Amino acid sequence: MRVAPPPQPYPPSGHISSSQIRLVGRSEELRAVVSAIESNGGSVIVGPEGIGKTALANAAARAVRQGFHVVQIRGSRFSAGTGYGALGWLLSELPDTPLDDPVQVLRALKAYLQERAGGRRTLLVVDNIHELDPLSQTATVQLIRQSAAALVATTPDLLRCGDELVRLWSEGMIRRIDLGPLEPPDSLALMEDLTGGRLSALAAHSVWLQTRGNPLFTSLLCRDQMTAGRLKERGGIWTLAGPLTFKGEIADWMASWYRRIDDAERRVVDLVSLCPGIQLQVLLAMGDERSVENLEEQGILVVAQREGTVWMREPLYARLIAELVPMGHFFELWQELLATGPDLDTWADIPARAFAEWAAAAGGPVDPDLAARACAVANLAGAPESAIKIAAAVEDPRPHPRLKLERARALRACYQAPAAEVELRSLTGLQDPETLVPALLELAQVARLVPDPYVSPQDALRQAETAAQGQSEPLHTQSLHLITAARAAFAVLDADPSAAPEELSALCLDWTAPTALVLGAQASRCQLLALEGRTGEAQKEAAELWERLRQVHSLPLTTGSEILSGVLCTHVMCAEPGRALAMLNQANGVRYLEHHLSAWSELPAGVIHALTGRADAALECLIPALRQLEVDDPRDLLPLARAAMAYCYAERQEWDKMGEYLGSVPEFRAAPAGHVLVGTRYFQLAAALSRGTTSRSGDPAGQLAREGQRAAAAGSFPAAVLYLAAAGLDGDLASAQLLETTAAAGDGPMAGTWQKLGAGLWKQSAQLLFEAAEALLARGFYGMGYKAALAAQETADAADQRELSRRARVVANECYRMLADANSLQSRMDTLSDFERDLAVRAASGASSARLGSALHLSPRTVDWHLGRIFQKLHVSGRAELRRLLGEGSGIAGTGRDSATRTTESTRVYK
C-alpha cells in the first residue's frame, strides 16, 4: 500500500505556514545555509517556534534546486510513534524491503534517491528533526555520513535530537545555524509586505512589542489587526485605530498548541499565564512538578531559580493562553491560589501586579496595600489602564492615600485630567504626611491640562514647599528633592530659565537621591542651560546624560521617555540637528527607551528635518506621524505636526497643500510645552512668509520679529535666535541687529554663527554672511544656510568681490542640493538633454572650451554659453565644483570615446 507524500510544512492551525511568510532580514543566514549545503553535509537550523526556521530551510532549498534533488520530510509526534514513520512515504516507493533490517533499508533508500536525483545530489529538508522516530533518524544520519545526501533540518533545540544527529554537528559534518528574532526594521518590512503599505511607528511598534520579531507571530498578529479594523489605512498610512486584539488566526494557532498538551501541563501553563512570575513554591503546590520540568525542558517555561519565579518564555504565549482559559476554570484556579495562602510581601513587583490584576478580573476584593503597590508598578511600566482597573477593585471604605495617589497618576496618564484633579483634591484634603507633597506636585501638573484649574501650578508648588517644611527626616529631604525636580521641569515647560531653582545643580550631583530623579533633574538642567544660551555647557551635560542613560540597568519606561525627550530637545535648542538625529537612531537599541522612541520618533525626526529646511526628508516622517495623530492625539501634538507639514509644502512651493494644512492647524487643548509652542508658531509664520501671504495674526515677517523680541526679553535664547534669524533673512534689519546682540550673550559655536549672521545682514558684510552660511551648512541648517549664502553672494557682487562671490555660490549650491531630493546632482543631471549631459561630463574631465568646440564643431564662445546654462541647471559654480562632485576617479572623463559612449557612462554613474 502506497503512503502519500506529506504536504508542504504547515502550522498546527493550518491557517498560515512559516513557508508562506516572506523571508526578510535573513540574508546572512540564508547564505550560511546554502554554503553549508554546497560545501559540507548541510546544516541544522535552531530556534524557537515561529521564528522562521522552515521558511529559511525552504528558501535554501529553492536556492540550490538546480544542483540538488530536494526531498521534504517532516517529523511529528504522530509519526514518531511508528518505526520509519517519517520516511513511510519514501519507503512505500521502494521494492519490497524488509523493514526489520536497517542495513537493507538504508541500501535500498540510497539507491532509490540516487535514481530519482538523476545525477544530482540529494538534499533532505527535514522539518522538526527532533520528532523523527529513531529508525528514521538513523537512516537520515547514515545518508549524510555516506555522502548520499546533504541535510537541512529544523529543530527548536539541538539537544532534543538523537545522539547520532548531535554527533554529526559535534564532529563538524553539519553546521548549526541559530535563528533569532527579526530586528525592528526587518519586522517592519514584513508587516509592510502584509499590509501593502507603510505603517505608522506606533502601529508597527505595537505589534513588535508583542511579537518581539517572531516572524510567524508578527504575520498572524498583523493580519488579525487588519481583519479586526485595529490597523486602518488612512491617507496611505496604516495607523493604529485601537488597542490590539488577540482574537483570530493567532488565537487559533495558540489554541491548537494548547489542546495538544496534556491536562497537567495545561494546568501549569494556565497558572503561569494568568500570573506571570508566580512563585515556584506556589506553582508546585498547585501543579504537577514533572509537568513543570517537562515544560522547562521544552523551552516553554523559564524558571528563575535565584528569584524562585516562573515565567512563560514567550510573553505573547502568556497573553494568548490567558484568554483561552475557560471562565469557570479561571475562577477555580483563583480560589485554589488563594487557598495556598501566598505571602505577597515576598513576591516581586511584577508578579504582585499580576496577582492584583487577576484578583480584579475575578471580582474578588483587592487588598488596598497590594493595590497601591500594583498600581505604582503599572504606572511606572506605562500601563495606567491596568492601574485604574486594579484600583476599582478595592472595596475598603476607608480612604487609602497611596492608592488614591496612584489612581490619580493613572488618570492623568490616560488624559482624564478633570477626574485626576477631583481625586487629588480629595487626597490633599486628607493631609496625609507621606502623600501630601507628591499629591500637590501631581496637582500642579494636572493644572496645566484643565481649562480652569482648582489651583495654579505655582500655587501648588508653594503649598508643597510649605507642607515639606513640617516633615521629619528622611521624608523632608525626599520631598525637597521632588519639589526641586518639579520646579525645574516647570521652568522648562514654561521656557522660563529664571524660574529654575537654585538647588537644581546640587540635586544633579546628589548620587544618594534616586537615579530616576537625578537623571530627570539633569535633563531639566540641560534644557535650562540651552534656554539661557549656554550651549557649550548644555551640550556637554547632555552628552554625559545620554551616555549614562544608555548604561543604566533599571529605569521606568515613563521616566526613560521623559529623559530621552529632554536630551533630544537640548540638542535641538543648541542648534545641533545632526546630533539630535544621530541620537534618535542610536536610541532605537537602548533598553527602557524603545517603547517611547519607537512609537513616537517620527514626529521629532520630522520636525528636526523641517527646521533644517529638508522638506522631503521631513515629510517622510511627518506624514505617518500626522496620520496617526489624526486617529489619536493624546499629547496634543497635532498643531505642531500640521504646522510643520504646512511649512514643508511651502518650501516645496506646493501652495494648495500649504494652505490646506496651515488653515487646519488646531488650537492647543491645554497649555503646551514651550518648545512645542515655539515650533508650532515658527512653522506657521515661516510657511506664510514663504508664500508672502498674511497669517492669522497679520504680517508674518513682522510677527516673526515681534515673537523674536518677546523671546529675547523673556531670556529664551533658542526661540529668540530662531525667530530673529528668519525675520532678518527676510530683510528686517532691526531683527538682524537684535539677532547680533542677542547671540552675543550666548556661548558655543552656534552663538557665534548667529552673531555673524545678524551682523552680516544689517552691516551688509559679505564676509560675515559667508562665514555664517558656511557654519550653517556644516551644522545642517541647509535652509537658512542657503539664504545666507545667497545674501553673501549678492553683497559680494555689489562690492565686486568676485572670489568671495564664487565661494558663496559654492556654499549656496551645497545647501541647495541638500534641501530636496529633486535638487541632488543625480536628479539635476537627469533633467539635462543627452547633449548637455555629455558636454557636462567632458567639461568636468578637464577639456578646455576650445578643445570641446573642436570636437563638437562649435565655437569656444558657444561652448561657454551652453556650459553656463548647464551650470545653472545643475546649481554648480563651475568646472572645478562639477569635477569635484562627479568624482576625480570615476572613469567618466576620458577623451578617446564618442559622445554616445560618454553619455551612457555618465548616466550609469548617476543612476
Side-chain angles (χ1 to χ4, degrees):
M1 177 179 179
R2 292 181 178 271
V3 179
Q8 291 296 311
Y10 58 92
S13 66
H15 285 267
I16 182 172
S17 74
S18 52
S19 61
Q20 291 174 293
I21 300 173
R22 179 184 173 214
L23 194 70
V24 295
R26 304 296 195 195
S27 56
E28 291 186 12
E29 291 88 345
L30 180 59
R31 285 193 293 269
V33 174
V34 170
S35 174
I37 293 171
E38 294 176 340
S39 62
N40 208 338
S43 65
V44 56
I45 304 169
V46 182
E49 198 163 13
I51 206 68
K53 302 185 297 294
T54 302
L56 179 59
N58 290 341
R62 289 192 296 271
V64 300
R65 64 179 178 271
Q66 295 298 324
F68 286 81
H69 168 58
V70 178
V71 177
Q72 296 271 0
I73 300 170
R74 181 178 176 83
S76 67
R77 288 189 177 185
F78 177 77
S79 65
T82 307
Y84 294 113
L87 300 179
W89 72 274
L90 272 175
L91 297 179
S92 68
E93 299 284 342
L94 305 181
D96 292 338
T97 303
L99 299 183
D100 57 351
D101 188 343
V103 175
Q104 291 192 42
V105 170
L106 179 63
R107 186 180 299 120
L109 189 59
K110 182 177 177 181
Y112 171 77
L113 292 175
Q114 288 176 341
E115 178 185 350
R116 294 295 299 269
R120 295 175 296 169
R121 292 182 65 191
T122 295
L123 175 64
L124 302 179
V125 181
V126 186
D127 206 23
N128 296 334
I129 196 168
H130 59 286
E131 291 187 339
L132 291 187
D133 60 272
L135 289 174
S136 293
Q137 189 166 123
T138 297
T140 301
V141 170
Q142 289 304 314
L143 288 171
I144 308 306
R145 287 194 176 278
Q146 295 179 21
S147 299
L151 173 71
V152 174
T154 71
T155 181
D157 185 357
L158 183 58
L159 298 181
R160 289 171 58 189
C161 303
D163 292 342
E164 293 178 279
L165 184 70
V166 174
R167 278 197 294 272
L168 276 182
W169 164 63
S170 63
E171 293 170 7
M173 295 195 67
I174 61 173
R175 181 178 175 184
R176 171 175 176 156
I177 307 293
D178 286 285
L179 212 54
L182 296 175
E183 292 296 322
D186 295 322
S187 182
L188 174 63
L190 176 58
M191 285 186 273
E192 290 184 339
D193 186 59
L194 291 166
T195 60
R198 290 187 63 185
L199 277 78
S200 72
L202 181 62
H205 180 71
S206 297
V207 174
W208 184 87
L209 195 64
Q210 298 295 330
T211 65
R212 294 292 175 174
N214 183 297
L216 177 61
F217 297 165
T218 298
S219 300
L220 294 175
L221 193 60
C222 184
R223 285 158 54 119
D224 287 343
Q225 306 321 302
M226 295 169 65
T227 302
R230 304 299 170 85
L231 281 181
K232 285 188 176 180
E233 187 177 14
R234 185 182 180 91
I237 304 296
W238 287 86
T239 60
L240 186 67
L244 296 184
T245 178
F246 295 90
K247 307 291 185 183
E249 290 184 86
I250 196 164
D252 293 343
W253 187 93
M254 181 53 65
S256 177
W257 175 86
Y258 185 68
R259 287 192 297 267
R260 290 206 312 269
I261 60 177
D262 61 39
D263 292 342
E265 291 180 341
R266 192 176 301 122
R267 179 182 177 84
V268 170
V269 298
D270 286 348
L271 287 166
V272 179
S273 298
L274 292 169
C275 189
I278 189 172
Q279 289 282 315
L280 177 59
Q281 60 184 13
V282 175
L283 180 63
L284 295 179
M286 299 180 65
D288 176 59
E289 182 177 358
R290 183 58 187 161
S291 296
V292 174
E293 293 176 355
N294 288 339
L295 291 166
E296 184 183 13
E297 289 176 0
Q298 295 173 37
I300 305 300
L301 296 184
V302 175
V303 179
Q305 297 292 347
R306 184 175 179 181
E307 295 82 11
T309 56
V310 186
W311 310 76
M312 298 292 289
R313 182 177 294 275
E314 293 285 348
L316 183 59
Y317 275 31
R319 183 76 181 256
L320 294 169
I321 291 170
E323 298 203 11
L324 292 173
V325 177
M327 189 58 66
H329 190 48
F330 176 91
F331 289 107
E332 289 175 3
L333 289 175
W334 170 246
Q335 293 298 328
E336 291 182 37
L337 178 58
L338 285 180
T340 64
D343 182 5
L344 296 174
D345 290 337
T346 65
W347 286 34
D349 285 344
I350 295 178
R353 171 192 160 189
F355 183 95
E357 288 178 329
W358 193 353
V366 182
D367 177 76
D369 289 328
L370 172 64
R373 179 188 175 197
C375 288
V377 175
N379 282 332
L380 290 174
E385 300 88 351
S386 173
I388 293 173
K389 291 178 181 178
I390 293 171
V394 176
E395 297 179 357
D396 194 326
R398 296 167 299 174
H400 194 284
R402 283 197 301 122
L403 180 59
K404 292 176 75 66
L405 177 62
E406 294 301 336
R407 183 174 185 275
R409 286 171 172 165
L411 289 169
R412 180 174 65 85
C414 289
Y415 305 96
Q416 300 178 38
E421 186 182 47
V422 171
E423 189 79 15
L424 290 166
R425 288 181 62 181
S426 170
L427 175 56
T428 55
L430 297 176
Q431 293 293 303
D432 175 65
E434 292 189 4
T435 60
L436 182 56
V437 169
L440 287 167
L441 298 180
E442 190 71 29
L443 194 58
Q445 296 187 62
V446 171
R448 292 182 60 91
L449 305 176
V450 293
D452 187 18
Y454 166 71
V455 61
S456 71
Q458 294 305 318
D459 284 343
L461 289 171
R462 282 191 288 270
Q463 291 178 28
E465 289 176 334
T466 301
Q469 296 307 316
Q471 294 176 331
S472 57
E473 294 294 351
L475 193 58
H476 174 69
T477 298
Q478 294 171 2
S479 295
L480 291 181
H481 283 166
L482 290 173
I483 294 168
T484 298
R487 282 203 174 277
F490 275 103
V492 171
L493 287 173
D494 296 331
D496 183 9
S498 65
E502 295 178 359
E503 303 84 357
L504 179 59
S505 297
L507 176 58
C508 291
L509 298 176
D510 188 350
W511 303 115
T512 65
T515 300
L517 185 67
V518 172
L519 293 181
Q522 289 177 333
S524 294
R525 176 172 163 79
C526 292
Q527 295 173 85
L528 290 167
L529 289 171
L531 284 168
E532 292 176 343
R534 297 160 63 184
T535 56
E537 294 175 75
Q539 286 286 71
K540 179 183 177 182
E541 294 195 15
E544 293 172 355
L545 176 56
W546 174 235
E547 286 306 313
R548 189 173 181 202
L549 187 60
R550 296 174 67 180
Q551 295 169 9
V552 72
H553 295 295
S554 179
L555 200 65
L557 282 176
T558 51
T559 304
S561 67
E562 291 168 0
I563 299 168
L564 172 66
S565 296
V567 178
L568 185 65
C569 287
T570 301
H571 288 310
V572 175
M573 288 191 290
C574 290
E576 293 283 358
R579 288 193 182 185
L581 291 171
M583 194 197 76
L584 277 173
N585 290 330
Q586 296 168 7
N588 278 310
V590 179
R591 195 180 177 192
Y592 309 113
L593 302 182
E594 61 182 20
H595 179 70
H596 171 78
L597 181 71
S598 299
W600 297 104
S601 61
E602 292 162 324
L603 183 59
V607 167
I608 293 168
H609 281 304
L611 285 172
T612 67
R614 301 192 65 205
D616 291 347
L619 289 172
E620 278 292 306
C621 303
L622 288 172
I623 289 174
L626 179 66
R627 296 293 174 250
Q628 184 62 62
L629 289 172
E630 288 172 341
V631 175
D632 185 25
D633 180 25
R635 289 190 288 259
D636 203 13
L637 295 172
L638 190 58
L640 174 61
R642 283 201 172 139
M645 290 275 287
Y647 173 75
C648 290
Y649 283 120
E651 289 294 291
R652 287 161 53 123
Q653 298 186 358
E654 296 182 35
W655 306 119
D656 289 343
K657 286 187 176 181
M658 184 277 282
E660 174 189 344
Y661 283 103
L662 192 60
S664 64
V665 176
E667 296 294 332
F668 287 101
R669 300 192 301 265
H675 64 274
V676 173
L677 181 60
V678 168
T680 304
R681 292 292 296 137
Y682 171 75
F683 287 132
Q684 286 177 295
L685 295 171
L689 184 66
S690 296
R691 180 69 187 271
T693 57
T694 300
S695 70
R696 295 176 181 175
S697 53
D699 171 43
Q703 187 65 17
L704 276 168
R706 288 189 290 274
E707 292 284 359
Q709 292 167 6
R710 278 195 288 267
S716 179
F717 182 86
V721 295
L722 180 65
Y723 287 130
L724 294 173
L729 286 167
D730 191 59
D732 187 333
L733 296 184
S735 292
Q737 191 170 8
L738 183 56
L739 174 62
E740 180 190 14
T741 57
T742 301
D747 72 350
M750 278 306 292
T753 298
W754 298 125
Q755 190 176 0
K756 288 178 181 178
L757 178 62
L761 288 169
W762 81 272
K763 294 178 180 178
Q764 292 293 290
S765 168
Q767 182 63 39
L768 289 175
L769 285 170
F770 169 71
E771 292 175 8
E774 268 196 322
L776 288 166
L777 170 62
R779 296 286 176 180
F781 280 94
Y782 306 112
M784 286 189 175
Y786 179 61
K787 293 177 181 178
L790 290 180
Q793 181 184 349
E794 182 180 351
T795 306
D797 287 340
D800 199 26
Q801 296 173 298
R802 295 185 179 182
E803 176 58 20
L804 187 57
S805 174
R806 185 195 65 78
R807 293 168 64 193
R809 189 164 63 252
V810 170
V811 173
N813 291 336
E814 291 280 0
C815 291
Y816 177 82
R817 280 188 289 274
M818 295 300 297
L819 289 176
D821 297 338
N823 296 353
S824 68
L825 188 62
Q826 174 181 340
S827 297
R828 304 304 299 175
M829 287 289 287
D830 290 342
T831 66
L832 300 181
S833 66
D834 289 346
F835 166 75
E836 289 174 324
R837 190 181 299 111
D838 177 56
L839 184 58
V841 172
R842 289 180 182 235
S845 70
S848 65
S849 296
R851 184 176 177 184
L852 289 173
S854 175
L856 299 173
H857 307 292
L858 298 171
S859 70
R861 189 171 182 177
T862 302
V863 169
D864 287 338
W865 181 85
H866 282 294
L867 286 175
R869 286 174 51 85
I870 292 170
F871 294 156
Q872 281 187 328
K873 289 182 179 181
L874 296 180
H875 282 264
V876 297
S877 60
R879 297 170 189 253
E881 185 180 0
L882 181 61
R883 182 179 184 84
R884 175 176 61 83
L885 292 171
L886 292 181
E888 290 263 349
S890 62
I892 62 175
T895 57
R897 287 166 288 179
D898 60 22
S899 176
T901 303
R902 293 178 192 278
T903 300
T904 302
E905 191 166 4
S906 71
T907 303
R908 184 174 65 247
V909 171
Y910 293 102
K911 289 188 177 179

